[in-house]
Amino acid sequence: MLITFEGIDGSGKSTQIEHLGRALKSASLPVSIFREPGGTPVSEKIRELLLHSATEIDPVTEILLFSAARSQLVAGRIMNLLKQGEIVLLDRFYDSTTAYQGFGRNSLQLNDIRHLNRIAAHNIVPDLTFYLRIGYEEAELRLGERVKDRMEGSGKEFYLKTILGFDEISEREERIVVLDATRPADEIHRAVVEKVREFGISV
C-alpha cells in the first residue's frame, strides 16, 4: 500500500508521517518511509541541486529534475517494496509536482504535467493521500526564522497559487483526504489512523 502526504512547507507532513510510521511499526507491520525528492543516491543528489543550489533553474528544468528523482525512487525502491507487501509512506509525490510546478511555477500545461507524472511514477497511483491544508501565514509562522531552501524562499504569491493547486487537486481526486493542519497534531494523527484502518490495516 502506498500512502502519500501532501501540503505546503510547514503543514506538518513530516510529523504525521513519523507518528503513522511509529504506529505501524508498533503493530509489527512492514513499513518504509521516504521523502521526495530523495530516497536513492541519485535522487538525493538531485534534491541537493533543486533545494540548495544557488544557480537559477528554469521552471521546465525544475519539473524535469523533480520527475527524474521520482522515477529513480519508484524504480529503485518503491516498486519492489510494494510487490513485497510493504506499506510505503511517502513525504510528497506527484501531487506536489502538479501544485508546485504546475500551479505555482506555471512551468507546463496541466495535461502535460499529468502525463509526465504518470511516466515518472511508472504508472503507480497512491492508494491513499493525506493533504494537510494550512494557510500561507500560518505556515510561515511555523517555519519561523530558519534558513529557507530554494523552494521555501519562493515567496507569498507562489505559495498562494500552490495552495490553490492542492485545493483543486483534492477536489478532483477521491483518494485524497483533506485534513485541517491547524488542529493539534494528536487529533490529526487519530484522523489519519482512522482512515488507514478503513483499508483493513490493523494499526
Side-chain angles (χ1 to χ4, degrees), residues 11 54 68 70 74 85 88 136 155 193 200:
S11 62
R70 175 171 304 120
V74 172
V88 177
Y136 172 77
V193 168

Side-chain angles (χ1 to χ4, degrees), residues 9-24:
D9 304 283
S11 62
K13 294 181 289 75
S14 299
T15 297
Q16 292 305 320
I17 291 171
E18 180 181 347
H19 288 340
L20 180 58
R22 188 182 303 116
L24 292 168

Side-chain angles (χ1 to χ4, degrees), residues 19-39:
H19 288 340
L20 180 58
R22 188 182 303 116
L24 292 168
K25 290 175 182 177
S26 294
S28 299
L29 294 169
V31 57
S32 294
I33 301 173
F34 300 101
R35 64 180 182 179
E36 279 210 356

Side-chain angles (χ1 to χ4, degrees), residues 5-174:
F5 287 75
E6 299 283 3
I8 65 170
D9 304 283
S11 62
K13 294 181 289 75
S14 299
T15 297
Q16 292 305 320
I17 291 171
E18 180 181 347
H19 288 340
L20 180 58
R22 188 182 303 116
L24 292 168
K25 290 175 182 177
S26 294
S28 299
L29 294 169
V31 57
S32 294
I33 301 173
F34 300 101
R35 64 180 182 179
E36 279 210 356
T40 72
V42 169
S43 301
E44 289 293 336
K45 289 181 180 179
I46 296 175
R47 179 187 182 89
E48 181 68 22
L49 177 63
L50 281 166
L51 300 187
H52 303 295
S53 172
T55 304
E56 184 176 344
I57 300 177
D58 176 79
V60 175
T61 304
E62 181 180 273
I63 193 172
L64 292 175
L65 285 170
F66 273 111
S67 298
R70 175 171 304 120
S71 176
Q72 188 69 18
L73 174 60
V74 172
R77 302 297 304 276
I78 293 176
M79 292 178 72
N80 288 333
L81 290 170
L82 293 176
K83 288 178 182 178
Q84 295 168 13
E86 289 234 9
I87 299 169
V88 177
L89 307 184
L90 194 49
D91 189 340
R92 299 198 181 286
F93 200 44
Y94 55 63
D95 293 320
S96 277
T97 295
T98 303
Y100 277 78
Q101 281 69 52
F103 286 82
R105 293 277 196 245
N106 195 27
S107 59
L108 296 172
Q109 295 294 317
L110 290 179
N111 284 337
D112 292 333
I113 291 176
R114 293 186 187 105
H115 182 58
L116 179 60
N117 286 342
R118 286 194 296 272
I119 293 172
H122 296 257
N123 291 313
I124 287 178
V125 178
D127 298 286
L128 177 62
T129 298
F130 292 105
Y131 165 35
L132 277 73
R133 192 183 192 285
I134 192 170
Y136 172 77
E137 288 77 11
E138 178 67 24
E140 280 291 289
L141 287 174
R142 290 187 178 185
L143 292 175
E145 298 300 320
R146 81 178 195 188
V147 178
K148 295 181 178 179
D149 63 34
R150 196 183 67 85
M151 293 300 297
E152 291 170 342
S154 296
K156 182 176 182 178
E157 182 180 354
F158 168 80
Y159 272 97
L160 291 178
K161 291 189 291 185
T162 299
I163 292 169
L164 176 63
F166 275 125
D167 289 345
E168 290 196 13
I169 296 166
S170 66
E171 291 175 0
R172 185 175 65 246
E173 298 288 346
E174 292 184 0

